């Protein structure tokens, strides 16, 4: 079945540590996105990528980094510079072009040890 | 700055009731408005609205966009416990190909 796979489902970070969240899709979508969701809040955009080897900062990019070396993969690294990383992280993808909805993975819940 | 506001933030009703969820927006260069349902994990796509006044319907759910009022409503009739979820509204900025989300409405349906 086609879809978006995020791993791991749960992740714990120690202080000063960088961690990487995986997002893989087999939908042949060009565009991919990373969102952060905090309790009682909607989704906030961290980074997005319209094509391979290109990505743009979203609204809350500080303390995060991404890469887009392959069409299927868009990993997110939460660096030690992100002081409040505890949140639910969602990856999404879509076909580029007009009126194409984004589809989401099941998310990764990141907590601090 | 683009902004999306949903109301109410939380709603508790009894099974069988009809509910109306609201979404208002301020977005430069509006392209579309989307509704998603989020139960435990991945938000699932419900509707995409681009034209004012045209109702989109799927079973007991329906939605309509009012571009003059910069708003949309999501109606759910004959609610069931399985409708309990967070309902997210998002608006796409034309050209940017990115979504701006509202805070979500947490809907609880009691049996």
């Amino acid at each position: 079945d086609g879809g978006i796979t995020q791993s791991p489902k749960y992740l714990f970070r120690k202080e000063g540590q960088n961690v990487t969240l995986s997002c893989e899709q087999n939908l042949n979508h060009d565009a991919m996105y990373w969102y952060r969701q905090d309790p009682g809040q909607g989704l906030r955009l961290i980074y997005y990528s319209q094509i391979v080897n290109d990505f743009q900062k979203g609204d809350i990019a500080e303390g995060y980094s991404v890469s887009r070396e392959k069409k299927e993969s868009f990993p997110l690294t939460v660096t030690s510079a992100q002081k409040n990383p505890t949140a639910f992280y969602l990856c999404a993808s879509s076909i580029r072009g007009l009126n194409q909805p984004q589809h989401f993975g099941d998310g990764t819940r990141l907590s601090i040890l | 700055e683009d902004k999306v506001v949903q109301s109410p933030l939380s709603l508790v009703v009894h099974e069988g009731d009809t509910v109306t969820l609201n979404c208002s927006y301020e977005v430069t260069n509006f392209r579309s408005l989307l509704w998603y349902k989020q139960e435990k994990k991945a938000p699932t796509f419900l509707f995409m609205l681009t034209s004012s006044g045209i109702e989109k319907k799927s079973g007991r759910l329906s939605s309509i966009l009012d571009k003059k009022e910069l708003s949309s409503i999501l109606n759910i009739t004959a609610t069931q416990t399985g409708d309990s979820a967070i309902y997210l509204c998002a608006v796409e900025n034309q050209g940017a190909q990115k979504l701006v989300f509202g805070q979500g409405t947490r809907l609880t349906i009691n049996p």
Side-chain angles (χ1 to χ4, degrees):
Chain A
D1 275 2
I4 302 170
T5 302
Q6 289 189 240
S7 62
K9 290 191 187 329
Y10 299 94
L11 187 57
F12 297 91
R13 195 191 89 169
K14 293 180 184 176
E15 200 159 329
Q17 186 183 40
N18 292 352
V19 292
T20 297
L21 284 60
S22 170
C23 178
E24 303 276 331
Q25 54 96 1
N26 60 3
L27 300 167
N28 201 31
H29 287 173
D30 292 300
M32 297 187 74
Y33 309 81
W34 273 107
Y35 294 91
R36 170 181 171 137
Q37 187 175 30
D38 293 282
Q41 295 194 35
L43 279 59
R44 292 184 290 166
L45 184 63
I46 305 173
Y47 269 98
Y48 61 110
S49 168
Q50 307 283 7
I51 56 172
V52 175
N53 292 322
D54 188 42
F55 49 82
Q56 289 77 39
K57 291 183 179 179
D59 301 315
I60 54 165
E62 187 174 347
Y64 300 97
S65 65
V66 293
S67 62
R68 187 87 188 275
E69 296 175 4
K70 297 188 297 182
K71 187 176 185 178
E72 310 79 51
S73 178
F74 191 40
L76 173 74
T77 296
V78 183
T79 74
S80 56
Q82 172 50 245
K83 298 305 178 190
N84 183 23
T86 297
F88 188 51
Y89 291 86
L90 284 160
C91 177
S93 70
S94 69
I95 300 171
R96 283 185 71 197
L98 291 176
N99 303 333
Q100 298 295 333
Q102 293 180 19
H103 298 276
F104 287 83
D106 280 346
T108 292
R109 193 165 296 280
L110 176 61
S111 303
I112 293 196
L113 279 177
Chain B
E1 184 182 326
D2 295 343
K3 190 175 175 183
V4 178
V5 177
Q6 293 185 244
S7 64
L9 294 180
S10 180
L11 184 59
V12 181
V13 300
H14 290 293
E15 204 167 18
D17 288 350
T18 292
V19 298
T20 298
L21 309 183
N22 300 285
C23 176
S24 61
Y25 61 88
E26 295 174 24
V27 176
T28 53
N29 299 320
F30 173 90
R31 171 183 281 179
S32 61
L33 185 144
L34 295 87
W35 285 97
Y36 287 86
K37 177 183 181 182
Q38 185 180 24
E39 293 182 76
K40 288 197 163 91
K41 299 175 184 175
T44 53
F45 171 72
L46 294 174
F47 298 112
M48 176 182 277
L49 304 159
T50 56
S51 300
S52 211
I54 298 175
E55 185 183 54
K56 293 230 174 163
K57 200 169 168 64
S58 175
R60 296 175 294 102
L61 277 68
S62 64
S63 183
I64 195 162
L65 175 67
D66 186 337
K67 283 188 179 179
K68 191 175 175 186
E69 297 295 326
L70 305 182
S71 66
S72 173
I73 59 170
L74 175 68
N75 280 322
I76 309 176
T77 60
T79 52
Q80 302 170 358
T81 54
D83 295 326
S84 294
I86 296 173
Y87 289 83
L88 297 165
C89 173
V91 177
E92 185 173 13
N93 182 316
Q94 189 165 3
Q97 276 203 303
K98 58 177 184 173
L99 297 178
V100 178
F101 280 84
Q103 322 94 299
T105 293
R106 182 180 291 276
L107 177 64
T108 303
I109 312 295
N110 288 329

